[in-house]
């Protein structure tokens, strides 16, 4: 009676941890959001997959726990890390309520802040915050407050879910909040389709980022007051020269 909650990274095999790969290999059934299942299905021929669409997270997690409770070894997959905007918390919550017999093991993965940060160079060498602009589960007023306070504290900031069809102006709104405390010349970057076909990245100022056409497959990186551009990369110093 085993459920692995697996973060598989960005979707290619090279960026998946050995632990994640092993957990999936050991599983009788792999359960996930439809897009995520399609990303890794070809890596595991012969495995049985089940998927559900967006906004059916409780249904998906409950189904995975039911199958595990029935004796199967199940992997519930998430992109990036399963504990960062993933299903790990919900799986533990529902297992406590309804499936205490299931052994839930959380398998970490490489989240977009890390994989995207590596593509951009070293934007997160010092303290940083990760904030999602998706307001499906978090009120926008709370998101705005987090942006404002992170900017005032001079954190480097990683932004997930910056825009979508229904949230087309959220990236600009977030940048406007950041511009209240940060210089328009702060170094920023974006990475789109991390580790997948069509991967691209770029470095720009915060003023330029405000009008950048980001989408749900884009991760944004806003530097702190010391972040600088080196070639086509970002670098946030940690202060070794002062040591």
């Amino acid at each position: 009676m085993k459920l692995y909650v697996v973060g598989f990274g960005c979707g290619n095999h090279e960026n998946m941890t050995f632990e994640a790969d092993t957990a999936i290999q050991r599983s009788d059934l792999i359960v996930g959001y439809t897009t995520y299942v399609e990303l890794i299905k070809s890596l595991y021929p012969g495995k049985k997959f089940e998927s559900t669409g967006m906004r059916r997270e409780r249904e998906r997690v409950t189904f995975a726990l039911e199958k595990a409770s029935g004796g199967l070894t199940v992997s519930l997959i998430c992109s990036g890390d399963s504990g960062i905007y993933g299903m790990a918390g919900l799986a533990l919550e529902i297992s406590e309520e309804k499936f205490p017999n299931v052994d839930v093991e959380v398998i970490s993965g490489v989240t977009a802040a890390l994989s995207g940060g590596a593509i951009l160079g070293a934007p997160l060498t010092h303290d940083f915050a990760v904030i999602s602009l998706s307001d499906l589960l978090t009120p926008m007023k709370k998101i705005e407050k987090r942006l404002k306070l992170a900017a005032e504290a001079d954190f480097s900031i990683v932004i997930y879910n910056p825009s979508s069809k229904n949230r087309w102006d959220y990236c600009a709104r977030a940048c406007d909040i950041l511009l209240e405390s940060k210089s328009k010349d702060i170094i920023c970057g974006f990475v789109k389709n991390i580790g997948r076909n069509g991967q691209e990245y770029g470095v720009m100022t915060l003023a330029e980022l405000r009008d950048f056409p980001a989408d749900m497959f884009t991760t944004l990186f806003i530097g702190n007051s010391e972040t600088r551009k080196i070639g086509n990369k970002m670098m946030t110093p940690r202060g070794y020269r002062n040591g």
Side-chain angles (χ1 to χ4, degrees), residues 191-224:
V191 188
K192 185 174 182 178
N193 295 320
I194 298 170
R196 303 172 190 170
N197 290 333
Q199 176 181 292
E200 57 182 293
Y201 75 95
V203 178
M204 64 190 71
T205 66
L206 180 54
E208 292 168 331
L209 184 66
R210 187 196 181 280
D211 298 315
F212 179 75
D215 60 20
M216 286 291 286
F217 299 101
T218 305
T219 306
L220 306 180
F221 294 77
I222 293 89
N224 68 18

Side-chain angles (χ1 to χ4, degrees), residues 114-121 190-191 193-195 199-201 232-233:
L114 306 182
S115 54
I119 292 166
L120 281 170
F190 77 92
V191 188
N193 295 320
I194 298 170
Q199 176 181 292
E200 57 182 293
Y201 75 95
N232 62 346
K233 304 284 187 178

Side-chain angles (χ1 to χ4, degrees), residues 22 26 30-31 56 59 63 81 83 85 91 97 100 109 113 116 120 127 160 217 232 237-238 241:
T22 299
R26 288 176 177 169
I30 297 96
V31 179
R56 294 171 64 184
E59 176 187 332
F63 174 80
D81 180 87
Y85 305 121
E97 294 170 357
L120 281 170
D127 300 335
Y160 285 30
F217 299 101
N232 62 346
R238 193 177 176 192
R241 289 183 179 181

Side-chain angles (χ1 to χ4, degrees), residues 24 29 35 41 61 70 73 86 94 99 108-109 125 136-137 156 177 193 198 201 206 213 216 228 238 243:
I24 295 172
L29 174 67
T35 299
K41 202 169 187 178
V61 172
T73 298
I94 295 177
F99 302 96
S108 62
T125 310
L136 288 175
L137 302 175
S156 295
I177 293 169
N193 295 320
Y201 75 95
L206 180 54
M216 286 291 286
R228 56 195 177 95
R238 193 177 176 192

Side-chain angles (χ1 to χ4, degrees), residues 117-126 227 233-237:
I119 292 166
L120 281 170
L124 307 179
T125 310
H126 216 306
T227 302
K233 304 284 187 178
M234 291 176 69
M235 192 281 291
T236 301

